[in-house]
Amino acid sequence: MKQEDPAQLWSVCLSELRGMMPAQTFATWFERTRGHDVTSDKFTIEVPNPFSGERMLKRFHDQIRQVVTTQLGRPVAIDYHIFEGNTQIVPVLTDLPSYVPADDRQIVEEVETDNLYDNYTFENFVVGECNDFAHAASLAVVKSPGQQTFNPLVIYGGVGLGKTHLAQAIAHESKRLGTVDRIRYVTSEIFYSEFIESIQEKKTKEFAQTYRNVDLLIVDDIQFFCKGHKDRTQEEFFHTFDVLRQKGKQIVLTSDRIPKELSGLEERLVSRFEWGLLADMKLPDYETREAILQKKADKDGLSLSQDVIAYIADRVASNIRELEGAVLSLLAYASLSHCDITIEVAKRVLKNKIRRRQRSVGIEDIQKAVAGHYGVSVEDLVAKTRKKHVVAARQIAMFLCRDMTRASLKDIGAIFGKRDHTTVIHACQTVKKLLLNDEHLQEELDRIKNALS
Ligand code: ADP
Ligand code: MG
């Protein structure tokens, strides 16, 4: 078929192209394009912005050329022009066959997303007031990766609130829509261990290449960079970050706290993380908890009545992983006992879980746990003794009281043998400093905390 009217030619081509990719991808990239001009050896396509033009060239160019050539019955070059208003056409990109270098092409096909959970998608993510900002920011990043204002996107918040889920949803959706080619999702532990390995194997250049050659880099749990001696890792990450950002590549990071509170993170990294967008995830409110429970139950094929859902939503408020845990316990019970989950059953099955989680930890609990862990007595902790091992245990106990209770510095000092609040501040700072270089201490604290919860 010969069709020399550019608009008509393009509309025929579009109907061909539509069948060659997922509907969503087509809608994202082709809906706002138009055929502009056709000559004996060139076809010009209007695209809405430079980003879209670049995509065309990098991702769909071969398909477009093939379809246009078939329709015209002769080979033509394809040009992409940015369309401005009704008349003005700004040519910015031309058909250069060498635009995508040969070995780059190879990498283009590789999407490093094997390590993603299949169900951490936007579809499975319940949006509530607690996470709507982070959710919207994540979608924006998928749609227009690399925009300065969203680069990096730092998603931060407490444990089990959905940071990893959201970060992986960005990877899944970007892959599905084809908004970026090379995606790399890693935890900061993996970044660290790959980097160390590359040093040992004298392959640091290859390491740098791998990370600096992606279009979307997602690093989960960057707080890990602050633990122990990771100066070189931070340095490497710093350079990776700068190279990617300069190239307009998107960076997404997650952290358990806002970057400026990541003690142990180099100042230049902290300031860079603040260049883009900081999006926090808060504890889910009651309605969101209900919606999440309903969604999880539906997904697992578990039928839960409204009163059971309300019972759990009311009592499990600390994080979303625990909501899931409650649903899983009920699911296990239902499948073993083949009985329906009534409110009585739910109460019985979840009794221990819920009661234990709800109990708040008090200063005395912490004193007991710390004393037991370090083999000293609670009396020692509150006494005047300056024995080294007692002082260390006392400082840790004070730190945990500050961390796990709402008690003021003054109250904590008073309970620890009428000490001044400055002593408590000093204790907290000492432990924080120790934590920076001592991973075992962190593990010990985690163990004490677990015993308390
Ligand atoms: P984080 O990385 O913040 O510790 P995760 O992303 O691992 O938390 O989330 C914990 C669990 O809760 C995951 O199984 C995740 O799928 C689920 N989850 C978190 N937020 C939501 C949400 N808004 N909707 C549905 N499930 C969620
Ligand atoms: Mg996580």
Side-chain angles (χ1 to χ4, degrees):
M1 180 192 119
K2 257 192 173 206
Q3 180 55 269
E4 303 285 299
D5 173 63
Q8 273 182 30
L9 167 64
W10 189 230
S11 91
V12 176
C13 292
L14 283 180
S15 58
E16 288 290 310
L17 288 161
R18 186 177 284 124
M20 297 165 80
M21 61 193 75
Q24 191 68 42
T25 308
F26 180 84
T28 307
W29 298 113
F30 289 88
E31 242 163 30
R32 291 166 62 208
T33 59
R34 287 198 252 169
H36 175 69
D37 188 33
V38 58
T39 64
S40 60
D41 59 358
K42 192 162 77 182
F43 179 48
T44 309
I45 300 167
E46 294 174 9
V47 293
N49 51 50
F51 176 60
S52 157
E54 193 189 324
R55 267 320 56 206
M56 290 288 169
L57 207 46
K58 283 184 81 174
R59 192 169 182 94
F60 305 111
H61 186 67
D62 289 345
Q63 283 168 306
I64 293 171
R65 184 155 48 186
Q66 186 197 334
V67 169
V68 175
T69 299
T70 312
Q71 293 304 327
L72 279 173
R74 65 175 188 273
V76 288
I78 309 288
D79 264 15
Y80 304 93
H81 286 203
I82 296 169
F83 168 72
E84 281 190 354
N86 269 334
T87 47
Q88 198 190 358
I89 301 293
V90 189
V92 283
L93 300 157
T94 42
D95 184 9
L96 302 174
S98 60
Y99 185 78
V100 183
D103 21 340
D104 231 39
R105 250 171 219 258
Q106 238 176 356
I107 311 171
V108 166
E109 302 308 321
E110 270 176 42
V111 182
E112 298 270 346
T113 48
D114 293 349
N115 47 358
L116 301 180
Y117 290 111
D118 287 347
N119 51 356
Y120 281 11
T121 58
F122 281 116
E123 207 184 8
N124 292 334
F125 190 82
V126 175
V127 184
E129 248 177 62
C130 53
N131 57 27
D132 59 350
F133 183 65
H135 176 259
S138 302
L139 284 178
V141 158
V142 171
K143 220 163 164 215
S144 315
Q147 277 194 13
Q148 295 265 326
T149 38
F150 293 112
N151 208 10
L153 168 63
V154 182
I155 302 170
Y156 69 93
V159 173
L161 296 184
K163 301 182 296 294
T164 298
H165 188 136
L166 209 45
Q168 296 200 5
I170 293 176
H172 280 300
E173 192 67 358
S174 303
K175 187 173 168 184
R176 196 174 71 84
L177 294 180
T179 47
V180 287
D181 289 322
R182 288 156 296 183
I183 305 172
R184 198 168 179 89
Y185 167 89
V186 286
T187 60
S188 54
E189 276 106 324
I190 293 187
F191 184 93
Y192 168 74
S193 60
E194 285 184 1
F195 178 57
I196 297 300
E197 211 171 282
S198 79
I199 295 176
Q200 285 160 354
E201 294 175 1
K202 302 200 168 36
K203 287 187 174 161
T204 46
K205 266 206 185 114
E206 285 85 344
F207 175 88
Q209 275 273 221
T210 311
Y211 277 89
R212 293 173 198 185
N213 249 326
V214 297
D215 301 307
L216 167 62
L217 176 64
I218 306 176
V219 183
D220 204 357
D221 288 326
I222 50 165
Q223 70 273 5
F224 178 78
F225 285 152
C226 312
K227 284 192 198 164
H229 299 282
K230 303 218 170 53
D231 300 355
R232 278 193 72 183
T233 311
Q234 289 197 23
E235 161 111 29
E236 180 63 28
F237 188 67
F238 170 79
H239 293 300
T240 306
F241 184 98
D242 270 5
V243 170
L244 288 177
R245 201 166 183 279
Q246 268 164 24
K247 289 204 285 189
K249 306 302 186 187
Q250 182 68 45
I251 302 153
V252 176
L253 308 169
T254 77
S255 165
D256 70 351
R257 70 204 74 173
I258 193 162
K260 68 168 182 280
E261 284 176 11
L262 286 170
S263 48
L265 194 66
E266 281 182 29
E267 197 45 49
R268 56 182 183 171
L269 278 175
V270 174
S271 71
R272 272 165 177 70
F273 295 168
E274 289 174 352
W275 281 350
L277 190 70
L278 299 172
D280 66 337
M281 309 272 279
K282 298 195 193 68
L283 281 172
D285 50 73
Y286 180 82
E287 283 77 20
T288 311
R289 296 204 295 276
E290 273 196 334
I292 289 172
L293 284 166
Q294 190 65 63
K295 187 147 200 150
K296 301 277 173 208
D298 288 351
K299 201 164 153 282
D300 290 333
L302 180 70
S303 128
L304 292 182
S305 61
Q306 195 47 47
D307 55 345
V308 171
I309 289 196
Y311 172 77
I312 307 172
D314 197 32
R315 286 164 182 79
V316 182
S318 49
N319 76 45
I320 296 169
R321 194 169 285 132
E322 296 194 351
L323 286 176
E324 277 187 339
V327 174
L328 285 178
S329 301
L330 294 180
L331 183 68
Y333 185 85
S335 65
L336 289 174
S337 68
H338 302 289
C339 73
D340 286 344
I341 304 292
T342 60
I343 182 80
E344 285 71 32
V345 170
K347 279 184 185 166
R348 188 147 38 83
V349 174
L350 300 176
K351 202 169 79 189
N352 291 334
K353 253 194 168 137
I354 286 181
R355 206 194 303 130
R356 229 182 48 218
R357 305 276 183 233
Q358 285 299 298
R359 208 187 62 156
S360 63
V361 177
I363 291 183
E364 280 161 18
D365 301 320
I366 295 174
Q367 288 181 329
K368 261 189 230 157
V370 172
H373 189 89
Y374 291 104
V376 298
S377 67
V378 173
E379 289 71 41
D380 283 339
L381 291 182
V382 302
K384 295 281 167 228
T385 174
R386 301 281 318 150
K387 278 184 202 147
K388 230 175 163 186
H389 71 287
V390 177
V391 172
R394 186 183 295 136
Q395 288 180 331
I396 285 171
M398 286 179 169
F399 172 81
L400 286 176
C401 287
R402 190 71 187 140
D403 196 36
M404 298 178 78
T405 74
R406 285 169 193 263
S408 67
L409 293 166
K410 207 170 142 220
D411 291 344
I412 297 172
I415 294 180
F416 279 83
K418 296 204 181 102
R419 288 182 157 82
D420 193 67
H421 76 281
T422 52
T423 312
V424 185
I425 294 177
H426 175 70
C428 294
Q429 281 171 342
T430 307
V431 176
K432 266 191 205 161
K433 257 190 226 149
L434 287 173
L435 280 173
L436 292 180
N437 296 315
D438 186 348
E439 283 173 34
H440 293 299
L441 180 60
Q442 183 65 54
E443 282 166 21
E444 278 179 24
L445 294 195
D446 288 345
R447 238 178 290 142
I448 298 172
K449 278 185 178 177
N450 281 340
L452 279 164
S453 64

